[in-house]
Amino acid sequence: MCALSAVSLVIHAPPPSSTPLERYVFSTAAFPSVPSSELLTSFTGNPPPVSDLPEQFRATIARLSTLSSSLSPLPPDCSFNLMMELRDDAGVEPPLGPTTPWIAAEPGLQKQKKTNADSSNEIEAQGRSKMGKDLGGAKATPVRNVESGAFALEMWIEEGQGKFDEQPG
């Protein structure tokens, strides 16, 4: 079973480059990891408070609205995709295959897996150098944290280097 680490909305430059320009990240990496044998176990003690969650989400949307005016402008005719990142749990592989509707992200937006394998193979080294190069962006702007008990959702915006490279001037 795979667990969600983050959901990202990625804005791409118009073709032919389709370079990632902005990435809006909603990270659930701080959520507790629960073994599959305990998925249906209820919380002990007091349940996490949910009464202020709607207000926290409203405040997050308002913050996103005000931050958008401070970001560098995007070129016309951009496209977007919604990307789900999975946790790097040991022994769990993403549900990719010929019969699944999942599509792997572009190499520049994929995290490198830590392996003990020898990286002396030149082809493998060239492939790895492209992986993750667009993560983190050239500029990151924190948005807001939403917390409720043990659950914490972090949000930030990354502006990619391609956004600044493609600007005229």
Side-chain angles (χ1 to χ4, degrees):
M1 177 166 83
C2 295
L4 190 66
S5 174
V7 175
S8 301
L9 175 69
V10 182
I11 310 292
H12 294 273
S17 77
S18 297
T19 306
L21 303 178
E22 290 179 355
R23 188 167 88 121
Y24 294 77
V25 182
F26 300 84
S27 174
T28 59
F31 277 28
S33 183
V34 179
S36 58
S37 61
E38 297 182 22
L39 286 178
L40 300 178
T41 304
S42 59
F43 284 100
T44 58
N46 296 331
V50 294
S51 61
D52 66 335
L53 282 178
E55 288 83 12
Q56 288 192 53
F57 285 123
R58 249 185 251 123
T60 302
I61 291 170
R63 174 97 168 117
L64 281 170
S65 177
T66 58
L67 280 175
S68 65
S69 64
S70 68
L71 299 174
S72 300
L74 291 167
D77 301 323
C78 289
S79 62
F80 71 93
N81 69 11
L82 192 60
M83 188 168 76
M84 296 186 336
E85 300 174 38
L86 304 176
R87 287 189 182 184
D88 290 330
D89 293 336
V92 178
E93 290 298 319
L96 297 175
T99 60
T100 62
W102 294 93
I103 300 171
E106 296 87 7
L109 292 171
Q110 292 182 21
K111 286 190 272 183
Q112 289 185 358
K113 277 196 170 184
K114 296 175 184 166
T115 62
N116 295 330
D118 181 19
S119 63
S120 62
N121 185 340
E122 192 174 315
I123 296 170
E124 185 181 48
Q126 287 175 350
R128 280 197 212 176
S129 66
K130 293 180 183 177
M131 290 190 68
K133 71 178 179 63
D134 294 319
L135 290 174
K139 179 181 170 190
T141 306
V143 176
R144 188 176 171 88
N145 290 346
V146 174
E147 296 182 20
S148 176
F151 300 95
L153 179 68
E154 300 174 26
M155 288 160 266
W156 66 89
I157 302 169
E158 298 172 355
E159 291 183 90
Q161 186 60 46
K163 184 175 184 180
F164 302 105
D165 293 343
E166 293 191 15
Q167 286 183 354

